[in-house]
Amino acid sequence: MSVTANDPKRKTWINTPENSDFPIQNIPFGVFLTRDDIITIGTRIGDTAIDLGAMHQLGYFEGIPLTDDIFLQDTLNDFISDGKKTWRLVRNRISDVFDIKNETLKNNEDHKSIILFELEEIEMKLPVQIGDYTDFYSSREHATNVGTMFRDPENALMPNWLHIPVGYHGRSSTIVPSGVPIHRPMGQTLPRGAEKPVFGPSRLVDFELEMAFITTDANVMGEPVPINEAEDYIFGMVLFNDWSARDIQKWEYVPLGPFLGKSFASSISPWIVTLDALEPFRTKGPKQDPEPLPYLTQDGNHSFDIQLELDIITEEGVATTISKSNFKYMYWTMAQQLAHHTVNGCKVNSGDMMGSGTISGPTADAYGSMLELAWQGTRPVPLNDGTERKFIQDNDTVVIRGFCQEGGRRVGFGKVSTKLLPIFGS
Amino acid sequence: MSVTANDPKRKTWINTPENSDFPIQNIPFGVFLTRDDIITIGTRIGDTAIDLGAMHQLGYFEGIPLTDDIFLQDTLNDFISDGKKTWRLVRNRISDVFDIKNETLKNNEDHKSIILFELEEIEMKLPVQIGDYTDFYSSREHATNVGTMFRDPENALMPNWLHIPVGYHGRSSTIVPSGVPIHRPMGQTLPRGAEKPVFGPSRLVDFELEMAFITTDANVMGEPVPINEAEDYIFGMVLFNDWSARDIQKWEYVPLGPFLGKSFASSISPWIVTLDALEPFRTKGPKQDPEPLPYLTQDGNHSFDIQLELDIITEEGVATTISKSNFKYMYWTMAQQLAHHTVNGCKVNSGDMMGSGTISGPTADAYGSMLELAWQGTRPVPLNDGTERKFIQDNDTVVIRGFCQEGGRRVGFGKVSTKLLPIFGS
């Protein structure tokens, strides 16, 4: 089926700001609370939110096999379970309805008053119920930086790293959408030189600049997903901030991996951009040497050229862009991650989320965490208000933006913006 | 509120085999498919399954604040969300209805024909939708054995182990109830002495003898659960077999912890035994030295005397009990695990599951994994059919049983029984 929604020539009758992340070629999916306090599934063109539940009730998806309530839900999980063919049919239809040449809805003021919302009228919610969340560790630059700092610069990468998309299970219950503030966590840490741990607020709260993909039901338990089919089970992507408390993490993580140093919060952008919409921005990832084992081998372009920026905004509102990275720096592809994740028969469900791991680029201004940007506190990062940061301070807001841009085309993710509040109850 | 359901003198009109794990003092909760293919929430007395959905519709829970459909669901999550007071009211009422002196249901053949099932008529399902699953590592003997084998006998415990109930996030999607067979996983391993990894079936499939507890909604995000309140948020316990592929695990687990070596399957017993029912079997755990930090300090008896046994049954049906352990050997208590898990503000939801970690006792016949019982393959474990095992073979069935017994009282968990099939598709 051709993805007509990606037609670069198509224009829309919805007023769309120039350089918007959400032209008619994007058509992402999200969940929002409307001005009437009703939760619905929607999409977005320019700065207009579109209620897909209302569109469906008014007959705009006629001919597409959808249950009546598929968009009247508080998560996208069931829609995602419908599979790639249905996602394409719906995206193509939305593109048709809002095509500048289509006057059906354009000229129906009653319907428009029910279907369209300004962004200020809605509140974005978590788009999926995340059954399981996995975080990978797939940026060679990030793994090398961390290995250099914490272990041995001569052997910064662990022996398994070039053979396995290394990953670990994360905590689903504390993944929140953009705009939801989080608290500095308390925890156990071992002060430098101390014999015994102490308890108190984490002093080293950090972000991790990541992206994540959301899956559909991929397999039955026991059955691996072959690498060449893996992308069919990826619904789309979001921006992802994997908050980390470095001091808690350091004391707890040997031998079973990160736990409370991560599980206090992770933040995502609320609009899931489909893999279909990202199709024009495919690119090759880094050359993989040694060649991966056959179950991880693939031909063609399986990375995406997604430009990433990260700002710190101080309590007074002064913003500084402190990192510019790109998803294409990832050593392991999403297809490789998913094939590896299921090679042991691990079941993957609709709404599962898999993070990339911190995306650090090759230069020091492209690092994806304060740990790396300020190199363990040894090179404080200057901000535009004259202050500097080694880690994140209370009441700082961290914003990640991401977009693809090539020729006249742009498809973006908007942002994930999260304020770090002081410890709970303070 | 007194827990009258625990009255040791109470007898029931339901025929209950002597030494049953499910006397009227147990009243566990589970989910099953009835002979009419309807899914319902139920309990069990002796070898009789009891449909709580039908009981509720017929008015047996009158006066208890329950929604009409609370037991007509395919998981216990909503009932568990109702909280400890409601669990007690329901358990006390069930105990009353089946008391030998209560003739209401006993003499109502119509009602009995709707409410009661023989075990052969039903199929047990997963009792909860598990949002997040965490596995701890709280047996000192197990951690010491593993540290001795893989690291250094002189420093077998990591420096953090006596200060932190060490744990990691696990995979929820592959937790299955007793009776569901699993497949030997495929994966990447590094053969001894090899430079490069290979791909193939795991050769070192192992069980882990564990128990797990199931929580109710414990907190809002950001808010720790104080140690002295932690038990109020524990609904009950199950037997837990945390299947492990030791060769996959060994190659992948540094630095982010176990991943595909564990995520292919975990198995649980289907009846959740409430913490209330276990109350008479409270005991002290091992002395904790050094004293834990204040947020982990508690007085009183917070462990439970639960006897555990593990059998291997060969394909031909020959059973051998190869381990006898006890939950009371756990160094860290469930309350400490939950308090630690939430101290950073991590949100805990209804239906979350937390595993104990392998429960190894002080003697070699009380070890909770083949890794330890056969000491890395150096001391093969003899079976009653004359064969021996270093790890689990295709078509072996692993059975864990658990029960509390003291004086004339017994409350048990039944069993979790799982057959290991050959690799998927073979």
Side-chain angles (χ1 to χ4, degrees):
Chain A
M1 184 193 334
S2 74
V3 186
T4 56
N6 283 2
D7 179 356
K9 301 206 190 80
R10 181 163 275 179
K11 293 190 188 314
T12 176
W13 51 267
I14 298 271
N15 179 37
T16 306
E18 204 172 345
N19 238 14
S20 170
D21 277 356
F22 302 98
I24 192 169
Q25 286 77 19
N26 190 337
I27 311 182
F29 293 90
V31 170
F32 57 82
L33 213 55
T34 71
R35 58 190 165 228
D36 309 312
D37 243 17
I38 291 166
I39 202 150
T40 188
I41 286 170
T43 186
R44 171 177 176 178
I45 298 176
D47 294 334
T48 300
I50 297 162
D51 182 341
L52 298 181
M55 274 183 72
H56 191 22
Q57 284 186 305
L58 294 168
Y60 287 93
F61 293 115
E62 208 181 289
I64 301 177
L66 294 167
T67 55
D68 288 348
D69 64 347
I70 192 73
F71 296 126
L72 300 173
Q73 306 202 14
D74 53 7
T75 72
L76 278 156
N77 294 54
D78 284 355
F79 175 63
I80 295 174
S81 278
D82 283 347
K84 189 167 189 167
K85 191 176 164 191
T86 301
W87 314 333
R88 285 186 172 172
L89 287 168
V90 167
R91 227 173 125 258
N92 284 347
R93 178 67 60 83
I94 295 168
S95 179
D96 287 342
V97 170
F98 293 94
D99 186 311
I100 200 160
K101 297 189 291 267
N102 187 334
E103 306 211 320
T104 312
L105 175 56
K106 183 182 177 185
N107 292 339
N108 189 326
E109 293 302 326
D110 281 354
H111 283 191
K112 280 201 291 188
S113 75
I114 297 168
I115 291 171
L116 305 182
F117 294 81
E118 294 181 33
L119 291 184
E120 297 70 37
E121 297 176 294
I122 65 165
E123 182 189 333
M124 296 304 298
K125 310 299 281 185
L126 211 58
V128 281
Q129 181 177 6
I130 302 160
D132 278 293
Y133 148 54
T134 299
D135 200 27
F136 286 94
Y137 186 59
S138 290
S139 154
R140 183 171 186 161
E141 289 80 1
H142 172 68
T144 303
N145 288 340
V146 172
T148 300
M149 277 187 259
F150 287 152
R151 288 182 293 267
D152 170 10
E154 298 302 308
N155 296 289
L157 284 186
M158 298 302 299
N160 56 15
W161 200 93
L162 292 169
H163 300 279
I164 290 179
V166 170
Y168 68 102
H169 306 294
R171 182 81 190 175
S172 302
S173 70
T174 46
I175 299 178
V176 294
S178 181
V180 174
I182 63 167
H183 288 276
R184 178 178 297 272
M186 305 284 288
Q188 236 190 80
T189 59
L190 186 72
R192 192 186 300 260
E195 296 246 314
K196 284 187 170 185
V198 298
F199 180 72
S202 167
R203 292 165 304 109
L204 309 181
V205 175
D206 199 355
F207 56 80
E208 293 197 319
L209 169 55
E210 301 196 17
M211 298 195 70
F213 65 88
I214 288 113
T215 63
T216 185
D217 314 276
N219 59 347
V220 296
M221 188 168 155
E223 177 192 39
V225 174
I227 180 113
N228 293 328
E229 296 173 20
E231 285 182 359
D232 290 342
Y233 298 102
I234 298 175
F235 175 64
M237 296 177 72
V238 292
L239 303 168
F240 190 67
N241 184 348
D242 184 27
W243 290 94
S244 301
R246 300 296 178 194
D247 43 358
I248 295 173
Q249 183 181 349
K250 189 175 178 189
W251 172 231
E252 75 179 355
Y253 92 105
V254 177
L256 299 185
F259 185 47
L260 301 192
K262 301 277 190 175
S263 63
F264 61 101
S266 313
S267 307
I268 65 170
S269 57
W271 294 106
I272 305 177
V273 177
T274 63
L275 218 57
D276 269 352
L278 298 171
E279 194 61 37
F281 308 99
R282 275 188 187 270
T283 185
K284 262 201 186 342
K287 181 170 165 50
Q288 296 184 324
D289 180 23
E291 196 177 344
L293 283 164
Y295 81 96
L296 293 173
T297 302
Q298 56 184 172
D299 293 326
N301 293 340
H302 296 282
S303 193
F304 295 88
D305 183 356
I306 305 171
Q307 299 179 48
L308 300 166
E309 298 177 351
L310 188 140
D311 290 1
I312 292 179
I313 305 176
T314 64
E315 189 168 8
E316 291 72 30
V318 178
T320 310
T321 300
I322 61 166
S323 177
K324 291 192 178 194
S325 189
N326 194 305
F327 184 75
K328 73 181 177 190
Y329 296 141
M330 302 303 294
Y331 186 83
W332 295 103
T333 69
M334 294 184 283
Q336 288 174 320
Q337 290 167 341
L338 186 53
H340 181 64
H341 205 316
T342 59
V343 78
N344 69 342
C346 180
K347 172 141 183 52
V348 168
N349 291 311
S350 176
D352 287 352
M353 189 171 288
M354 302 193 187
S356 56
T358 308
I359 305 171
S360 290
T363 56
D365 56 351
Y367 292 166
S369 65
M370 288 304 290
L371 180 70
E372 296 163 86
L373 288 162
W375 207 258
Q376 279 191 290
T378 60
R379 308 173 195 157
V381 174
L383 301 188
N384 289 334
D385 67 351
T387 64
E388 56 183 31
R389 291 288 183 282
K390 297 176 179 175
F391 287 94
I392 304 301
Q393 291 187 359
D394 286 351
N395 301 307
D396 282 350
T397 297
V398 173
V399 180
I400 301 174
R401 292 182 302 279
F403 54 93
C404 308
Q405 192 148 25
E406 211 181 306
R409 292 182 174 212
R410 181 178 172 114
V411 165
F413 292 80
K415 66 180 179 183
V416 51
S417 170
T418 316
K419 186 172 185 176
L420 177 67
L421 300 176
I423 59 166
F424 187 86
S426 68
Chain B
M1 185 194 331
S2 74
V3 186
T4 55
N6 283 2
D7 179 356
K9 300 207 191 82
R10 182 164 274 179
K11 295 192 187 311
T12 176
W13 52 266
I14 299 268
N15 178 36
T16 306
E18 203 173 346
N19 237 12
S20 171
D21 277 356
F22 303 97
I24 192 168
Q25 287 77 17
N26 190 338
I27 310 183
F29 293 91
V31 170
F32 58 80
L33 211 57
T34 70
R35 59 190 164 225
D36 308 313
D37 242 17
I38 292 166
I39 202 150
T40 188
I41 287 170
T43 186
R44 171 176 175 177
I45 297 177
D47 293 334
T48 301
I50 296 163
D51 182 341
L52 297 181
M55 273 183 71
H56 190 23
Q57 284 185 306
L58 294 169
Y60 287 93
F61 293 115
E62 209 181 289
I64 301 177
L66 294 167
T67 56
D68 287 348
D69 64 346
I70 193 72
F71 296 125
L72 299 173
Q73 306 201 15
D74 53 8
T75 72
L76 278 156
N77 294 56
D78 286 354
F79 175 63
I80 295 174
S81 277
D82 283 346
K84 190 168 186 164
K85 191 179 163 191
T86 301
W87 315 332
R88 285 187 173 171
L89 287 169
V90 167
R91 227 173 124 260
N92 284 347
R93 178 66 59 86
I94 295 168
S95 180
D96 287 342
V97 170
F98 292 94
D99 187 309
I100 199 160
K101 296 188 292 269
N102 187 333
E103 307 214 319
T104 312
L105 176 58
K106 184 183 176 185
N107 292 339
N108 189 325
E109 294 301 326
D110 282 353
H111 283 191
K112 281 201 289 188
S113 75
I114 297 168
I115 290 170
L116 305 182
F117 294 82
E118 294 181 32
L119 291 183
E120 296 70 38
E121 296 177 294
I122 65 166
E123 181 188 333
M124 296 304 297
K125 311 298 281 184
L126 212 57
V128 281
Q129 181 176 8
I130 303 159
D132 279 293
Y133 147 54
T134 298
D135 200 27
F136 286 93
Y137 186 57
S138 290
S139 153
R140 183 172 187 161
E141 288 79 2
H142 173 67
T144 304
N145 288 340
V146 172
T148 299
M149 278 187 259
F150 287 152
R151 290 182 292 267
D152 172 8
E154 298 303 307
N155 296 287
L157 284 186
M158 299 302 299
N160 56 15
W161 200 92
L162 292 170
H163 300 280
I164 291 179
V166 170
Y168 68 102
H169 307 294
R171 181 83 191 175
S172 302
S173 69
T174 46
I175 299 177
V176 294
S178 180
V180 174
I182 64 166
H183 288 277
R184 178 179 296 273
M186 304 284 288
Q188 238 190 78
T189 58
L190 187 71
R192 191 186 299 260
E195 297 245 313
K196 286 187 168 183
V198 298
F199 178 72
S202 167
R203 291 166 304 111
L204 309 181
V205 175
D206 200 355
F207 56 80
E208 293 196 321
L209 168 56
E210 302 196 15
M211 297 195 70
F213 66 88
I214 288 112
T215 63
T216 186
D217 314 276
N219 59 347
V220 296
M221 189 167 153
E223 178 192 39
V225 174
I227 180 115
N228 292 328
E229 296 174 19
E231 285 182 359
D232 290 342
Y233 298 103
I234 299 175
F235 175 64
M237 297 177 73
V238 292
L239 303 168
F240 190 66
N241 184 348
D242 183 27
W243 290 94
S244 302
R246 300 296 177 193
D247 42 359
I248 296 173
Q249 183 182 350
K250 189 174 180 191
W251 172 231
E252 75 179 356
Y253 92 105
V254 178
L256 299 186
F259 185 46
L260 302 192
K262 299 277 191 176
S263 63
F264 61 101
S266 313
S267 308
I268 65 171
S269 57
W271 294 105
I272 306 176
V273 177
T274 63
L275 219 56
D276 269 351
L278 297 171
E279 195 61 37
F281 308 98
R282 275 188 187 270
T283 183
K284 263 201 185 341
K287 180 169 166 51
Q288 297 185 324
D289 180 22
E291 198 178 342
L293 282 163
Y295 81 95
L296 293 173
T297 301
Q298 56 185 171
D299 293 326
N301 294 341
H302 296 282
S303 192
F304 294 87
D305 183 357
I306 306 171
Q307 300 179 48
L308 299 166
E309 299 178 350
L310 188 140
D311 289 1
I312 293 179
I313 305 176
T314 64
E315 190 170 7
E316 290 72 29
V318 178
T320 311
T321 300
I322 61 167
S323 177
K324 290 192 179 194
S325 189
N326 195 305
F327 183 75
K328 73 181 177 191
Y329 296 142
M330 303 302 294
Y331 186 83
W332 295 102
T333 68
M334 294 185 282
Q336 288 175 320
Q337 290 169 340
L338 186 53
H340 181 65
H341 204 316
T342 59
V343 78
N344 69 342
C346 180
K347 174 144 183 46
V348 168
N349 291 312
S350 175
D352 286 352
M353 189 171 287
M354 301 192 188
S356 56
T358 307
I359 305 170
S360 291
T363 55
D365 56 352
Y367 292 166
S369 65
M370 287 305 289
L371 180 68
E372 295 163 87
L373 288 162
W375 207 258
Q376 278 190 291
T378 60
R379 305 176 199 157
V381 174
L383 301 188
N384 289 335
D385 67 351
T387 65
E388 55 183 32
R389 291 289 183 280
K390 297 176 177 176
F391 287 93
I392 303 302
Q393 291 187 359
D394 288 350
N395 301 307
D396 281 351
T397 297
V398 174
V399 180
I400 301 174
R401 292 182 303 276
F403 55 93
C404 307
Q405 193 149 24
E406 211 182 305
R409 291 182 174 212
R410 182 179 173 115
V411 165
F413 292 80
K415 65 179 180 182
V416 50
S417 169
T418 316
K419 185 172 185 176
L420 176 67
L421 300 176
I423 59 166
F424 187 86
S426 67

